Amino acid sequence: MTPHNPALDDIPLSVFDDIEKRIAELKHPHFLRLHQGKSTFAPCARMHDWQHSDFALRAHEHAPPGGIPMLRRRIVEHLREQSRQQVREEHVVITCGATHGIGSALRAMLQPGDEVLIMSPQWLFVTGLVRAAGGRPVEVPVFLELSRDRHFDFVAALEAAVTPRTRAIYFNTPNNPTGFSLDREAQERLARFARRHELWLISDNAYALYDFTEPGFLDISQLPDAADRTFSVHSFSKTYAMPGYRVGFVVAPEAMALRMKKWGLYSLYSLASASQYGAFQALGTPPDVLEGHRARAREARDITMRELKVPCTRVEGGFYTFLDLSQWKHGSESEFFARAIQAGVSVAPGIAFGQHCRPFARLCFTAVGHEDLRIAIQRLNAVYTHAP
């Protein structure tokens, strides 16, 4: 066989492809998709032609690698206004969504065979990104344990997994898929651990707006022990409801931001100018609109917690809860997924979010409107409680 890149051999395609195929074959008249991370919120940007006086580049002009300076400056201003983060334009890299942002951060830091500790369960594509960058993902189960017991010693779990080849830690909070949020004390412990072992931190902040805890969201880069070792990854997909624009950005130490820009240059050159203008628009969204998104997500969370009879994780933020199918009495977890699809509702298999996440399933409660969410929950309740 002609030589090829072996790093891609064991990386799976999206689990959503198979789910969508099964849904299409069913032809259900009112199917409710709760398997993918989506929302029904109106996007905070709209496509239209604009003038140079509105934005530095027109849609047909290609942007510089690393992002259009006008957008990067607005991000710096936004971070200073929203969280008093003292970052400079040189720290900001515009990426093709958070996926490209995480991949670029990994390319900036890893050498072949280096290990990345992944606080698990995790966003389902991060292990593949680590492998594609030549690294070795090491899943460390912590979030289900923390969901059951806030005092679980997750740092001890990380300590047991670290080796001389460990280079970084990946985590996201609020956590996708469990809905658990790391508080300040937990993040301070994590930052001290990273400094003690000289590790990079990749903080996936995709759900920053949707932290429902009383203190609210904290970016670990704001802590003294983490400021010089954190890649803070942001996405416009969830906060601003514009996933199709494929816009994200990463705030990183200046030397690493430069390395990320180089990888951006040699992977996609630059993000489309039209998408960057959409992000520029979105950053001007009135606070009450974003608060409306947050309130609707929180209400969907409350409906789910109140009406769902399937055991699940307590949600402190994000769009998801993790269903525990260990006590289901009517077959295997794959049978549960099949019966749910036959009933007209889909959830994502837990194994996609960590090798230890069986038998679990992820439910996205923002993927449909509130009334459809109630219908979907009724269908899931029926599958869980009734024998075939």
Side-chain angles (χ1 to χ4, degrees):
M1 182 178 180
T2 304
H4 63 284
N5 179 4
L8 300 177
D9 288 351
D10 297 326
I11 300 174
L13 293 171
S14 173
V15 66
F16 301 145
D17 293 345
D18 180 61
I19 294 173
E20 288 294 341
K21 180 180 178 181
R22 294 168 70 180
I23 292 171
E25 292 171 349
L26 184 63
K27 297 180 180 178
H28 192 285
H30 186 204
F31 198 93
L32 299 171
R33 292 169 166 83
L34 305 188
H35 63 276
Q36 195 165 4
K38 296 183 177 181
S39 75
T40 59
F41 310 149
C44 295
R46 59 187 179 87
M47 294 303 297
H48 65 89
D49 198 12
W50 64 89
Q51 304 301 316
H52 272 294
S53 57
D54 298 322
F55 195 53
L57 296 175
R58 301 293 292 277
H60 64 278
E61 297 175 303
H62 67 247
I68 297 173
M70 196 170 178
L71 173 58
R72 291 162 63 200
R73 285 194 294 271
R74 190 158 191 174
I75 287 171
V76 168
E77 294 167 1
H78 173 78
L79 292 173
R80 288 175 178 172
E81 291 171 2
Q82 296 297 313
S83 56
R84 299 181 181 179
Q85 287 180 259
Q86 297 304 307
V87 301
R88 300 193 310 274
E89 187 180 332
E90 293 76 16
H91 295 151
V92 178
V93 182
I94 307 301
T95 62
C96 186
T99 304
H100 181 242
I102 294 169
S104 297
L106 292 166
R107 293 284 181 170
M109 71 175 70
L110 294 184
Q111 297 183 47
D114 283 350
E115 298 173 354
V116 178
L117 302 185
I118 296 173
M119 295 174 63
S120 186
Q122 70 278 351
W123 173 60
L124 73 170
F125 296 128
V126 71
T127 54
L129 287 171
V130 173
R131 291 192 181 102
R136 177 175 174 263
V138 179
E139 295 180 7
V140 183
V142 296
F143 280 114
L144 282 170
E145 289 75 8
L146 285 167
S147 294
R148 300 182 185 110
D149 177 10
R150 281 205 90 87
H151 301 293
F152 170 73
D153 191 352
F154 73 95
V155 172
L158 292 170
E159 193 76 57
V162 75
T163 75
R165 296 305 304 268
T166 306
R167 295 292 175 265
I169 307 167
Y170 166 89
F171 70 100
N172 68 336
T173 183
N175 177 245
N176 170 10
T178 66
F180 186 86
S181 288
L182 292 171
D183 59 19
R184 174 178 285 271
E185 181 184 358
Q187 293 199 46
E188 286 175 342
R189 294 180 64 204
L190 178 58
R192 289 194 295 269
F193 171 80
R195 179 164 294 281
R196 186 163 66 249
H197 289 282
E198 285 297 314
L199 303 177
W200 295 105
L201 290 161
I202 304 175
S203 178
D204 182 345
N205 300 341
Y207 297 92
L209 177 67
Y210 302 99
D211 190 317
F212 306 134
T213 62
E214 187 62 32
F217 177 76
L218 171 68
D219 187 335
I220 197 170
S221 68
Q222 296 176 262
L223 301 177
D225 281 324
D228 61 350
R229 62 184 62 251
T230 300
F231 293 79
S232 293
V233 183
H234 300 260
S235 170
F236 284 78
S237 296
K238 301 302 186 288
T239 298
Y240 298 101
M242 40 193 286
Y245 284 73
R246 305 309 308 140
V247 191
F249 67 93
V250 180
V251 180
E254 186 174 346
M256 299 305 281
L258 178 60
R259 287 176 170 83
M260 290 183 62
K261 290 176 190 176
K262 290 180 180 180
W263 176 248
L265 169 64
Y266 291 104
S267 57
L268 58 81
Y269 189 85
S270 65
L271 182 67
S273 297
S275 291
Q276 295 197 52
Y277 179 59
F280 185 81
Q281 281 185 292
L283 289 169
T285 302
D288 63 310
V289 173
L290 297 180
E291 181 52 39
H293 288 183
R294 187 174 185 272
R296 286 169 61 190
R298 187 171 55 233
E299 184 178 353
R301 183 275 308 264
D302 293 344
I303 291 170
T304 304
M305 295 295 97
R306 185 170 59 247
E307 300 184 14
L308 185 66
K309 295 180 181 179
V310 185
C312 63
T313 53
R314 182 182 72 255
V315 178
E316 298 178 332
F319 288 178
Y320 315 99
T321 186
F322 222 26
L323 310 184
D324 183 352
L325 304 178
S326 61
Q327 301 303 310
W328 192 55
K329 303 181 185 302
H330 308 304
S332 66
E333 61 184 297
S334 59
E335 177 65 19
F336 180 89
F337 300 137
R339 287 184 55 195
I341 287 176
Q342 287 295 320
V345 60
S346 57
V347 291
I351 193 66
F353 305 91
Q355 291 301 308
H356 61 291
C357 295
R358 178 177 281 145
F360 284 85
R362 190 189 73 173
L363 180 154
C364 177
F365 47 74
T366 58
V368 296
H370 291 351
E371 290 308 309
D372 276 346
L373 176 62
R374 290 187 171 94
I375 294 170
I377 289 173
Q378 290 172 3
R379 293 174 181 176
L380 288 173
N381 287 343
V383 170
Y384 188 78
T385 58
H386 299 155

